[in-house]
Amino acid sequence: MNILEIVLKEAKKAYKKGEIPVGCVIVRDNEIISEAHNTKQKSHSCINHAEIIAITKAEKRIKDWRLNDCELYVSLEPCNMCKEVIRQARIKKVYYLEKSNFNNEDKKNIEYTQIKDNELKEEYSSLLKTFFKDKR
């Protein structure tokens, strides 16, 4: 299973739990060191976004809060709160499948790249649309 398939698998876990379907994977030296999905509703905590959970797991795994050599893959472009945590963790590259509607002006020192032309992007886009359609 490749990285983006795991990101999508995590997003589907969130979806099945009634969470906004966001999945995240952190990679270091071509090795997955953490994976997570949103648990905000279940945990009753506004900070339990997939990115923050994945960062926390990665920090514990490598026993350092500095994730300088890590890359973050996420299904939805991070919100501003997550972007700040990503910046604080020293992650320099973030890859995402779907662009968000958030105001994402502050991208200091982090390279953000939307992944295009990928069949998993289309599958995730459909999952996200279905989630919000079902919530209305």
Side-chain angles (χ1 to χ4, degrees):
M1 191 174 288
N2 73 35
I3 294 166
L4 294 178
E5 289 172 333
I6 296 169
V7 167
L8 184 58
K9 177 187 82 166
E10 288 295 322
K12 287 178 179 179
K13 284 181 186 178
Y15 177 82
K16 287 178 185 173
K17 295 175 182 177
E19 303 279 353
I20 295 175
V22 177
C24 183
V25 171
I26 296 180
V27 176
R28 180 180 180 197
D29 298 327
N30 296 317
E31 177 189 354
I32 294 172
I33 61 169
S34 72
E35 50 192 78
H37 58 275
N38 277 358
T39 63
K40 193 165 122 174
Q41 299 299 322
K42 180 182 176 186
S43 67
H44 307 289
S45 176
C46 66
I47 65 169
N48 280 350
H49 291 205
E51 301 92 326
I52 292 174
I53 297 167
I55 287 169
T56 301
K57 286 180 176 181
E59 291 168 337
K60 286 179 183 175
R61 174 130 185 230
I62 67 170
K63 296 177 176 66
D64 194 352
W65 61 269
R66 294 171 197 87
L67 303 178
N68 302 40
D69 300 327
C70 297
E71 295 178 341
L72 186 145
Y73 293 80
V74 64
S75 53
L76 185 63
E77 181 183 18
C79 69
N80 289 334
M81 175 184 70
C82 290
K83 284 186 176 187
E84 181 58 24
V85 174
I86 290 165
R87 189 181 73 74
Q88 290 288 326
R90 311 289 198 266
I91 295 171
K92 299 289 187 246
K93 289 189 179 182
V94 174
Y95 300 93
Y96 59 92
L97 291 170
E98 188 70 31
K99 187 152 181 59
S100 71
N101 293 326
F102 300 114
N103 179 3
N104 287 305
E105 295 173 6
D106 186 18
K107 298 182 179 182
K108 298 176 189 169
N109 303 319
I110 301 172
E111 179 183 326
Y112 285 87
T113 306
Q114 182 176 9
I115 299 166
K116 300 183 185 223
D117 302 325
N118 186 296
E119 67 276 358
L120 296 176
K121 179 188 180 314
E122 298 303 320
E123 187 176 347
Y124 175 70
S125 182
S126 176
L127 180 72
L128 190 64
K129 287 174 187 169
T130 301
F131 176 81
F132 284 109
K133 182 179 153 196
D134 291 349
K135 290 292 179 186
R136 291 184 186 143

